[in-house]
Amino acid sequence: MGYALSTTSKLQGQLEQERRELTVELATLTSPDRLEAMARKRLGLVAPEKGQVIVLP
Amino acid sequence: MRRSAQGIRLRLGLAKILFLVLVAVVGGRAAYLQIWQGENFKRLGERQHLKEWIVLPKRGAVLDRAGEPLALSLESQSVYARPHRVQNAEALARSLAQVLSLNFAETRQKLQSEKSFVWIKRQISPAEAEQIQALNVEGVGMFYEPNRYYPQGQLAGQVIGFVGRDSDGLEGLELQYNDYIRGETGSSLVERDALGRRVLVQGVEGVQLPPGGDIHLTLDTSIQHLAEKELEGSITKYRAKAGIAIVVEPFTGEVLAMANYPTFNPNHFSQETAQQRRNRAVADGFEPGSTFKTILAAAALEEGVVGKEDLFYCEMGKYVYGGKIIHDTHPYGWLPFAKILQVSSNIGFTKVAEKLKKETYFKYIEKFGFGQPSNIDLPGEVPGVLRRAESWSAVDLATHAFGQGISTTPIQLAMAYAAVANGGFLMKPYIVRRVLSPKGEVLVENQPHVVRRVISEKTAHTLASMLKEVTNEGGTGIMASVEGFEVAGKTGTAQKADLAHGGYAARKRVGSFVGFVPADDPRLVVLVLIDEPEVNVYGGVVAAPVFQNIARGALRRLAVAPQHLEAVPSLAAPGEIPVRRPAKNDNSEALDRDAVPDFVGLSLREAVEKARAMNVKVKMHGNGYVVKQAPVAGGRWNEEEVLILSLQG
C-alpha cells in the first residue's frame, strides 16, 4: 500500500516535472525574438508598410 | 516397566530443563537486543534504510500581462558526497567519473578531501540521476535543486533580474519579490527498500511544501520586444553606447515595457557584466536637457505667469544672462510661448523661468516627483539629484530652464509626462500587477496610486496642445509623428557631464524623446533615450523615430484605432497594394537598385555626397540634418525618381 502510494506520487512528480519542462520549451519556441526571426527567414515575411495596413472603421 | 517410566520422567525433566535454559538464553539475548541495545540497533537500521530528503523550495514563475512565462523553475538533481563515509574512493571515483563524464583525478581528489561535504556535480540530467541512484553507494547522495530558466532570453532581462544557485533572487524582480516567490525549504525522512527506492515518506505533509507564488506583470511581451528591437536599431545606426525605452500607461502608471540596451540574458548571468545587468531606467540619473522644458512650461502655465500666445523676444540666438551667453541653435526674434516650446528655444525658456522665479519653479520640480524615488517596485532605484533653489545663481536658473544642472531617472521623466497626459496626476509606476499563491490567493496586488495632483486639468490640456506642435511641421520632433494619430512630446539633446575633468564633455550627448499618444486621449507615454550616439546626436533624429515605431506598433497591439483615416486604400483594388517579396539570391541586385535608399539622419553634406555616389536625384528643403524623406527608405520610387529631403538642425 505504502509502496503503491509512493510509486504513484513519484509518477505524479515526474509528470509534473515533464509538464514544466514542456512549458519552458514552448515558451522558448514562441519567444517573440525567435518568432520574428522565423517569420522573416523561413517564411520571408516583412513588416507591413504604410499602405498595407487597413483599419476598418 | 516402572523403572522405565521413572527413566522417562527423568529424561523429560532433563529435556524440560534444557529447553527452559535454551528459552532463557534466547529470551535473554532477545531482551538484550531489544531492550538493552534496542535504541542503538534501531538507529543503525534506520541509517541503512531511511534517508534524509532535503526539499528545496519550488520558486514561482514570472508571467507577463497575458500569462506568457518570462521565468520558470525546473528541478534538476545535484550529486554530493560525504568523503569520510566513502569506503573505496578509487573505485567510486572511477564509476562517478564515468556516469557523470567528469575528470577521474579531480573526482578522486574530491572524494579523498578532508571536507565533510563536497559537490560532485550540480544540475545533472535525469538520465545521469537514474544511474547515480542505481549505484546506491554509501556516502554519495543527490539533492533536488531548482534551476531557473528564462525562456525569452534577454527579453526584459534587467527588469526580471536573476536567481543565484541557492535559490535567492539577486537582481530585478527576482530580488524585489523574493520573499513571495521563493517558496519554503524543508526536509523529511524517506524509507528505502533493498534497491534504494523510496518506499514511504514519513510525514507526507512534510514534503508537500508550499511552492512560491507566481508574479503577474504589467509588461506586455510584444511591446517589450518591439521596444528592445527599435532601440537596438537606432543604437546600431547612430553608433550609440547605450539606450533606454519605457512605455507607460498614463492613467494607471502600469509599465508596459522597460527596455535597456545593451541587453542582458539572465540565463547566463554570470557571464555578463555588472553594467549589462543594470536597469538604467531606474538606477541611473541623466541630465534631461530640453525634455525638461515641459516641466517649466507646466509650472509657468499653472501659475498663470505666461499664456500660450504670450510673446517673447528670443534675441536672435544670443542672449547674455547671469554673466554667460545663452545660445539657440537657430536665431529667432519675437515668438509666442507655444512656438518657443515647438522650436525649443533656450533663450525663450530662460525668460519664462525669469518670470516664474526660481522658488516657484523648484516647487514644481519637486511636485513632478523629481529628486524623490518614484517608488516603482524594482530594486536599485535612485532619486536623482536636485540642487535647492536657494543655492541657484542667475545662470543656474537659466540652465534649469533647459534641463541642465539636474539629474533625473528615465522613469521619473516618463511619469512626469504621464502627469501631463492624464490631466495632471502624478502616478506611482508599477510593474507587478499581482502575486498569486499556488492556491490562487492574492499575496500582493498593486493598483493605480495617485501620488498627488501636480497641475490642473486645464493646464495639462493647454500644455498637451502645445506639445502637439512639436511633432508637427516646424517642430523639433517631427520624426516622432505617427500616421493617423496626433503625438504630443518633446525632444531633448543633453550634454553629458565630464566626470574626469568636470564641466561638460565636448562630444558626449544624450538624445531623447518623451511623449504621449494619442495626444487628446492618451493611451501610452513613451520615453526613448539614446546615450552617446556618434553619427548624429539630436534627440529629434536619434530618438524620435524610435518613439514613432514603438508608438505605432504598441497602438496597433492595443487595438487603438487611428483618429484620422487618411489614404485608406480601396478594398476593391487589392492588387494595387504593394506586396514585397523576400529577396531571392538571383534577383536581389535588381531589388536593391529599385528600393529607395535611407537618407534620414545624414547631414546636408553627407546627403549630397551619398546622392552623388548613388546617382540619385534629390531635392532638399531646410538646413541641418535630414529628418524626413519622400518616398520613405525601402519604398517605391515615384515617377520622377526624385527624392525629396526635409532638413532640420
Side-chain angles (χ1 to χ4, degrees):
Chain A
M1 177 64 188
Y3 191 79
L5 189 65
S6 171
T7 318
T8 317
S9 88
K10 195 175 162 189
L11 181 67
Q12 183 196 0
Q14 276 173 0
L15 291 173
E16 277 173 7
Q17 172 77 3
E18 199 180 327
R19 192 180 72 94
R20 278 193 293 272
E21 282 169 16
L22 291 172
T23 316
V24 171
E25 203 180 327
L26 178 71
T28 312
L29 293 176
T30 55
S31 82
D33 227 19
R34 203 187 97 92
L35 287 186
E36 189 183 330
M38 298 281 277
R40 284 183 192 279
K41 286 203 192 95
R42 256 178 57 184
L43 304 175
L45 301 180
V46 290
E49 275 162 44
K50 210 173 161 183
Q52 291 177 305
V53 180
I54 299 167
V55 179
L56 299 175
Chain B
M1 208 47 203
R2 195 191 255 175
R3 237 187 98 182
S4 74
Q6 228 171 19
I8 288 170
R9 209 171 293 139
L10 182 69
R11 275 191 283 169
L12 272 174
L14 278 173
K16 199 156 122 196
I17 288 163
L18 178 72
F19 277 105
L20 275 176
V21 169
L22 277 176
V23 166
V25 167
V26 172
R29 179 67 181 165
Y32 170 76
L33 289 177
Q34 280 293 329
I35 300 164
W36 199 251
Q37 288 278 322
E39 276 305 298
N40 226 346
F41 282 120
K42 194 178 166 200
R43 223 179 1 254
L44 279 173
E46 277 177 358
R47 224 172 87 181
Q48 243 172 29
H49 67 93
L50 284 183
K51 207 163 200 191
E52 198 185 15
W53 195 269
I54 294 191
V55 185
L56 276 154
K58 285 197 176 68
R59 200 176 177 84
V62 180
L63 310 158
D64 90 333
R65 67 190 293 134
E68 191 69 26
L70 298 173
L72 287 169
S73 281
L74 285 184
E75 282 181 335
S76 54
Q77 305 200 68
S78 290
V79 187
Y80 66 88
R82 298 188 186 275
H84 62 273
R85 286 211 212 153
V86 171
Q87 309 278 330
N88 186 344
E90 188 84 20
L92 181 58
R94 188 160 292 128
S95 48
L96 283 179
Q98 199 202 340
V99 170
L100 302 172
S101 30
L102 295 170
N103 182 303
F104 165 67
E106 272 175 33
T107 317
R108 186 181 53 188
Q109 202 183 341
K110 276 184 187 169
L111 292 175
Q112 288 169 340
S113 78
E114 290 300 306
K115 288 181 203 156
S116 62
F117 181 100
V118 286
W119 284 114
I120 302 295
K121 190 178 180 184
R122 300 187 80 161
Q123 283 155 4
I124 60 174
S125 71
E128 288 173 326
E130 241 163 65
Q131 292 187 60
I132 294 293
Q133 196 112 43
L135 283 179
N136 193 29
V137 206
E138 180 67 20
V140 174
M142 280 182 294
F143 272 138
Y144 269 108
E145 272 199 313
N147 201 1
R148 200 73 164 153
Y149 288 90
Y150 301 93
Q152 319 274 358
Q154 88 298 328
L155 190 97
Q158 293 93 343
V159 173
I160 297 165
F162 59 93
V163 177
R165 268 191 175 161
D166 49 3
S167 236
D168 273 313
L170 296 181
E171 287 271 14
L173 290 166
E174 297 269 31
L175 169 63
Q176 184 82 10
Y177 286 89
N178 192 47
D179 291 349
Y180 296 102
I181 61 170
R182 190 178 190 278
E184 284 171 39
T185 318
S187 71
S188 79
L189 289 176
V190 178
E191 210 165 324
R192 295 185 304 172
D193 66 7
L195 294 170
R197 295 176 302 199
R198 285 163 68 184
V199 176
L200 183 65
V201 176
Q202 291 190 346
V204 178
E205 67 280 5
V207 273
Q208 304 266 306
L209 286 164
D214 288 344
I215 299 185
H216 295 255
L217 302 181
T218 61
L219 283 190
D220 181 306
T221 303
S222 297
I223 299 176
Q224 175 76 26
H225 170 68
L226 176 69
E228 287 181 7
K229 200 185 65 179
E230 293 300 333
L231 196 57
E232 183 177 358
S234 177
I235 287 167
T236 314
K237 182 170 178 185
Y238 296 107
R239 286 204 297 277
K241 204 181 81 182
I244 294 156
I246 303 176
V247 183
V248 184
E249 216 281 309
F251 288 88
T252 58
E254 287 186 359
V255 179
L256 294 171
M258 186 177 272
N260 278 269
Y261 188 90
T263 52
F264 161 69
N265 188 335
N267 286 315
H268 319 292
F269 67 86
S270 55
Q271 296 156 25
E272 313 227 355
T273 63
Q275 198 54 38
Q276 270 174 289
R277 285 182 215 161
R278 258 181 112 70
N279 183 358
R280 301 179 78 209
V282 299
D284 276 10
F286 293 88
E287 286 205 15
S290 297
T291 50
F292 208 70
K293 285 174 181 160
T294 302
I295 309 306
L296 174 56
L301 289 169
E302 180 76 9
E303 290 292 311
V305 299
V306 293
K308 191 176 166 182
E309 302 303 329
D310 288 6
L311 290 167
F312 290 87
Y313 184 61
C314 293
E315 310 282 347
M316 300 315 287
K318 250 187 191 177
Y319 180 43
V320 180
Y321 184 80
K324 290 267 162 78
I325 304 170
I326 292 162
H327 293 276
D328 274 345
T329 27
H330 297 287
Y332 297 105
W334 287 96
L335 288 181
F337 185 38
K339 189 85 186 161
I340 287 175
L341 185 70
Q342 190 195 19
V343 300
S344 197
S345 162
N346 290 341
I347 296 167
F349 268 92
T350 304
K351 292 190 171 182
V352 173
E354 221 182 332
K355 277 187 87 171
L356 183 66
K357 303 281 179 292
K358 61 182 182 183
E359 288 79 13
T360 321
Y361 182 25
F362 186 79
K363 192 180 86 191
Y364 278 90
I365 293 176
E366 283 201 309
K367 270 179 103 176
F368 268 107
F370 298 103
Q372 315 126 40
S374 72
N375 291 321
I376 187 169
D377 44 352
L378 283 169
E381 189 183 9
V382 295
V385 183
L386 293 190
R387 277 174 51 207
R388 305 217 58 90
E390 300 87 75
S391 70
W392 293 6
S393 65
V395 74
D396 285 333
L397 176 65
T399 57
H400 276 81
F402 40 88
Q404 287 183 6
I406 174 172
S407 157
T408 68
T409 61
I411 189 70
Q412 282 175 337
L413 201 57
M415 295 323 290
Y417 272 75
V420 179
N422 68 24
F425 296 101
L426 182 69
M427 304 299 294
K428 190 184 112 169
Y430 61 96
I431 202 153
V432 170
R433 260 193 174 165
R434 55 179 80 92
V435 180
L436 295 180
S437 80
K439 287 179 198 152
E441 302 153 314
V442 178
L443 300 177
V444 179
E445 179 148 40
N446 282 321
Q447 269 167 353
H449 175 76
V450 178
V451 180
R452 66 181 79 90
R453 179 178 265 288
V454 186
I455 47 173
S456 69
E457 199 168 345
K458 188 167 160 270
T459 304
H461 283 159
T462 311
L463 190 52
S465 71
M466 287 166 67
L467 288 169
K468 272 199 275 195
E469 294 306 312
V470 174
T471 63
N472 282 340
E473 210 63 51
T476 53
I478 191 160
M479 288 167 83
S481 59
V482 181
E483 60 278 7
F485 294 95
E486 281 192 303
V487 175
K490 183 76 192 74
T491 57
T493 309
Q495 291 172 289
K496 276 191 97 173
D498 188 334
L499 299 174
H501 307 97
Y504 285 100
R507 278 251 173 71
K508 292 178 180 173
R509 297 284 188 280
V510 174
S512 58
F513 189 91
V514 201
F516 47 90
V517 64
D520 297 319
D521 178 23
R523 296 289 303 271
L524 304 165
V525 172
V526 182
L527 172 143
V528 178
L529 186 151
I530 307 287
D531 193 11
E532 294 184 23
E534 278 180 12
V535 180
N536 190 308
V537 297
Y538 291 101
V541 177
V542 298
V546 182
F547 174 97
Q548 179 189 52
N549 292 336
I550 296 175
R552 186 198 290 130
L555 287 167
R556 229 175 249 169
R557 164 87 181 151
L558 300 176
V560 182
Q563 295 148 317
H564 318 294
L565 290 170
E566 47 181 73
V568 178
S570 158
L571 282 172
E576 282 175 24
I577 298 169
V579 178
R580 280 172 67 206
R581 291 257 147 236
K584 293 210 180 72
N585 288 334
D586 50 317
N587 64 355
S588 62
E589 216 178 304
L591 269 176
D592 278 349
R593 217 186 304 127
D594 286 348
V596 176
D598 188 5
F599 277 76
V600 172
L602 299 177
S603 67
L604 179 69
R605 183 190 295 181
E606 287 163 345
V608 171
E609 278 168 10
K610 185 169 179 177
R612 194 172 295 154
M614 299 188 74
N615 204 9
V616 171
K617 272 183 266 176
V618 287
K619 265 187 198 164
M620 306 206 193
H621 304 287
N623 262 310
Y625 292 89
V626 180
V627 295
K628 212 171 142 184
Q629 68 174 58
V632 293
R636 289 258 173 123
W637 283 105
N638 47 12
E639 276 174 21
E640 305 94 66
E641 300 208 340
V642 176
L643 191 58
I644 298 157
L645 305 176
S646 311
L647 290 89
Q648 259 171 30

PDB file of all heavy atoms in Angstrom, chain B residues 114-127:
ATOM      1  N   GLU B 114      39.361  16.335   2.953  1.00  0.00           N
ATOM      2  CA  GLU B 114      39.089  16.320   4.387  1.00  0.00           C
ATOM      3  C   GLU B 114      37.717  16.884   4.727  1.00  0.00           C
ATOM      4  O   GLU B 114      37.253  16.776   5.849  1.00  0.00           O
ATOM      5  CB  GLU B 114      40.164  17.151   5.117  1.00  0.00           C
ATOM      6  CG  GLU B 114      41.539  16.501   5.106  1.00  0.00           C
ATOM      7  CD  GLU B 114      41.529  15.134   5.790  1.00  0.00           C
ATOM      8  OE1 GLU B 114      41.081  15.049   6.944  1.00  0.00           O
ATOM      9  OE2 GLU B 114      41.941  14.152   5.144  1.00  0.00           O
ATOM     10  N   LYS B 115      37.072  17.516   3.732  1.00  0.00           N
ATOM     11  CA  LYS B 115      35.777  18.154   3.986  1.00  0.00           C
ATOM     12  C   LYS B 115      34.718  17.098   4.290  1.00  0.00           C
ATOM     13  O   LYS B 115      34.830  15.951   3.875  1.00  0.00           O
ATOM     14  CB  LYS B 115      35.330  18.955   2.757  1.00  0.00           C
ATOM     15  CG  LYS B 115      36.131  20.225   2.551  1.00  0.00           C
ATOM     16  CD  LYS B 115      35.594  20.948   1.332  1.00  0.00           C
ATOM     17  CE  LYS B 115      36.626  21.871   0.737  1.00  0.00           C
ATOM     18  NZ  LYS B 115      36.388  22.125  -0.670  1.00  0.00           N
ATOM     19  N   SER B 116      33.676  17.529   5.015  1.00  0.00           N
ATOM     20  CA  SER B 116      32.621  16.567   5.322  1.00  0.00           C
ATOM     21  C   SER B 116      31.581  16.524   4.203  1.00  0.00           C
ATOM     22  O   SER B 116      30.758  15.618   4.153  1.00  0.00           O
ATOM     23  CB  SER B 116      31.957  16.919   6.642  1.00  0.00           C
ATOM     24  OG  SER B 116      31.359  18.177   6.535  1.00  0.00           O
ATOM     25  N   PHE B 117      31.639  17.508   3.305  1.00  0.00           N
ATOM     26  CA  PHE B 117      30.628  17.580   2.245  1.00  0.00           C
ATOM     27  C   PHE B 117      31.252  18.202   1.004  1.00  0.00           C
ATOM     28  O   PHE B 117      31.860  19.267   1.078  1.00  0.00           O
ATOM     29  CB  PHE B 117      29.457  18.453   2.733  1.00  0.00           C
ATOM     30  CG  PHE B 117      28.340  18.590   1.741  1.00  0.00           C
ATOM     31  CD1 PHE B 117      27.188  17.829   1.862  1.00  0.00           C
ATOM     32  CD2 PHE B 117      28.428  19.488   0.688  1.00  0.00           C
ATOM     33  CE1 PHE B 117      26.152  17.962   0.953  1.00  0.00           C
ATOM     34  CE2 PHE B 117      27.399  19.625  -0.230  1.00  0.00           C
ATOM     35  CZ  PHE B 117      26.259  18.856  -0.082  1.00  0.00           C
ATOM     36  N   VAL B 118      31.150  17.519  -0.127  1.00  0.00           N
ATOM     37  CA  VAL B 118      31.611  18.128  -1.383  1.00  0.00           C
ATOM     38  C   VAL B 118      30.568  17.906  -2.476  1.00  0.00           C
ATOM     39  O   VAL B 118      29.900  16.879  -2.506  1.00  0.00           O
ATOM     40  CB  VAL B 118      32.962  17.536  -1.891  1.00  0.00           C
ATOM     41  CG1 VAL B 118      34.123  18.013  -1.064  1.00  0.00           C
ATOM     42  CG2 VAL B 118      32.910  16.019  -1.958  1.00  0.00           C
ATOM     43  N   TRP B 119      30.425  18.909  -3.353  1.00  0.00           N
ATOM     44  CA  TRP B 119      29.579  18.747  -4.529  1.00  0.00           C
ATOM     45  C   TRP B 119      30.384  17.976  -5.570  1.00  0.00           C
ATOM     46  O   TRP B 119      31.515  18.326  -5.874  1.00  0.00           O
ATOM     47  CB  TRP B 119      29.188  20.089  -5.125  1.00  0.00           C
ATOM     48  CG  TRP B 119      28.122  20.815  -4.362  1.00  0.00           C
ATOM     49  CD1 TRP B 119      28.249  21.987  -3.691  1.00  0.00           C
ATOM     50  CD2 TRP B 119      26.755  20.420  -4.218  1.00  0.00           C
ATOM     51  NE1 TRP B 119      27.050  22.347  -3.129  1.00  0.00           N
ATOM     52  CE2 TRP B 119      26.116  21.399  -3.428  1.00  0.00           C
ATOM     53  CE3 TRP B 119      26.009  19.318  -4.663  1.00  0.00           C
ATOM     54  CZ2 TRP B 119      24.778  21.313  -3.086  1.00  0.00           C
ATOM     55  CZ3 TRP B 119      24.675  19.251  -4.322  1.00  0.00           C
ATOM     56  CH2 TRP B 119      24.072  20.243  -3.534  1.00  0.00           C
ATOM     57  N   ILE B 120      29.790  16.937  -6.128  1.00  0.00           N
ATOM     58  CA  ILE B 120      30.446  16.208  -7.217  1.00  0.00           C
ATOM     59  C   ILE B 120      30.080  16.855  -8.545  1.00  0.00           C
ATOM     60  O   ILE B 120      30.919  17.229  -9.334  1.00  0.00           O
ATOM     61  CB  ILE B 120      30.033  14.713  -7.218  1.00  0.00           C
ATOM     62  CG1 ILE B 120      30.391  14.061  -5.878  1.00  0.00           C
ATOM     63  CG2 ILE B 120      30.675  13.978  -8.382  1.00  0.00           C
ATOM     64  CD1 ILE B 120      31.889  13.997  -5.595  1.00  0.00           C
ATOM     65  N   LYS B 121      28.768  17.006  -8.772  1.00  0.00           N
ATOM     66  CA  LYS B 121      28.330  17.708  -9.977  1.00  0.00           C
ATOM     67  C   LYS B 121      26.946  18.287  -9.721  1.00  0.00           C
ATOM     68  O   LYS B 121      26.090  17.626  -9.145  1.00  0.00           O
ATOM     69  CB  LYS B 121      28.285  16.742 -11.170  1.00  0.00           C
ATOM     70  CG  LYS B 121      28.070  17.463 -12.500  1.00  0.00           C
ATOM     71  CD  LYS B 121      28.089  16.496 -13.660  1.00  0.00           C
ATOM     72  CE  LYS B 121      27.872  17.242 -14.974  1.00  0.00           C
ATOM     73  NZ  LYS B 121      27.801  16.327 -16.103  1.00  0.00           N
ATOM     74  N   ARG B 122      26.763  19.526 -10.139  1.00  0.00           N
ATOM     75  CA  ARG B 122      25.471  20.159  -9.907  1.00  0.00           C
ATOM     76  C   ARG B 122      24.644  20.149 -11.179  1.00  0.00           C
ATOM     77  O   ARG B 122      25.157  20.193 -12.286  1.00  0.00           O
ATOM     78  CB  ARG B 122      25.666  21.592  -9.409  1.00  0.00           C
ATOM     79  CG  ARG B 122      26.443  21.604  -8.104  1.00  0.00           C
ATOM     80  CD  ARG B 122      26.504  22.957  -7.496  1.00  0.00           C
ATOM     81  NE  ARG B 122      25.284  23.278  -6.777  1.00  0.00           N
ATOM     82  CZ  ARG B 122      25.219  24.243  -5.847  1.00  0.00           C
ATOM     83  NH1 ARG B 122      26.280  24.940  -5.549  1.00  0.00           N
ATOM     84  NH2 ARG B 122      24.095  24.494  -5.219  1.00  0.00           N
ATOM     85  N   GLN B 123      23.343  20.085 -10.972  1.00  0.00           N
ATOM     86  CA  GLN B 123      22.369  20.119 -12.060  1.00  0.00           C
ATOM     87  C   GLN B 123      22.659  19.102 -13.170  1.00  0.00           C
ATOM     88  O   GLN B 123      23.047  19.446 -14.283  1.00  0.00           O
ATOM     89  CB  GLN B 123      22.260  21.546 -12.583  1.00  0.00           C
ATOM     90  CG  GLN B 123      21.428  22.356 -11.631  1.00  0.00           C
ATOM     91  CD  GLN B 123      21.692  23.832 -11.648  1.00  0.00           C
ATOM     92  OE1 GLN B 123      22.462  24.334 -12.435  1.00  0.00           O
ATOM     93  NE2 GLN B 123      21.037  24.551 -10.757  1.00  0.00           N
ATOM     94  N   ILE B 124      22.492  17.846 -12.786  1.00  0.00           N
ATOM     95  CA  ILE B 124      22.732  16.763 -13.733  1.00  0.00           C
ATOM     96  C   ILE B 124      21.443  16.438 -14.486  1.00  0.00           C
ATOM     97  O   ILE B 124      20.369  16.864 -14.093  1.00  0.00           O
ATOM     98  CB  ILE B 124      23.247  15.500 -13.005  1.00  0.00           C
ATOM     99  CG1 ILE B 124      22.223  15.028 -11.972  1.00  0.00           C
ATOM    100  CG2 ILE B 124      24.591  15.766 -12.361  1.00  0.00           C
ATOM    101  CD1 ILE B 124      22.586  13.709 -11.323  1.00  0.00           C
ATOM    102  N   SER B 125      21.554  15.664 -15.543  1.00  0.00           N
ATOM    103  CA  SER B 125      20.373  15.316 -16.335  1.00  0.00           C
ATOM    104  C   SER B 125      19.623  14.165 -15.661  1.00  0.00           C
ATOM    105  O   SER B 125      20.195  13.437 -14.859  1.00  0.00           O
ATOM    106  CB  SER B 125      20.812  14.895 -17.736  1.00  0.00           C
ATOM    107  OG  SER B 125      21.457  13.644 -17.651  1.00  0.00           O
ATOM    108  N   PRO B 126      18.332  14.001 -15.988  1.00  0.00           N
ATOM    109  CA  PRO B 126      17.554  12.910 -15.397  1.00  0.00           C
ATOM    110  C   PRO B 126      18.190  11.529 -15.636  1.00  0.00           C
ATOM    111  O   PRO B 126      18.133  10.658 -14.766  1.00  0.00           O
ATOM    112  CB  PRO B 126      16.202  13.015 -16.101  1.00  0.00           C
ATOM    113  CG  PRO B 126      16.113  14.427 -16.549  1.00  0.00           C
ATOM    114  CD  PRO B 126      17.509  14.857 -16.840  1.00  0.00           C
ATOM    115  N   ALA B 127      18.793  11.320 -16.805  1.00  0.00           N
ATOM    116  CA  ALA B 127      19.426  10.038 -17.110  1.00  0.00           C
ATOM    117  C   ALA B 127      20.607   9.777 -16.174  1.00  0.00           C
ATOM    118  O   ALA B 127      20.766   8.671 -15.645  1.00  0.00           O
ATOM    119  CB  ALA B 127      19.892  10.018 -18.562  1.00  0.00           C
TER     120      ALA B 127
END
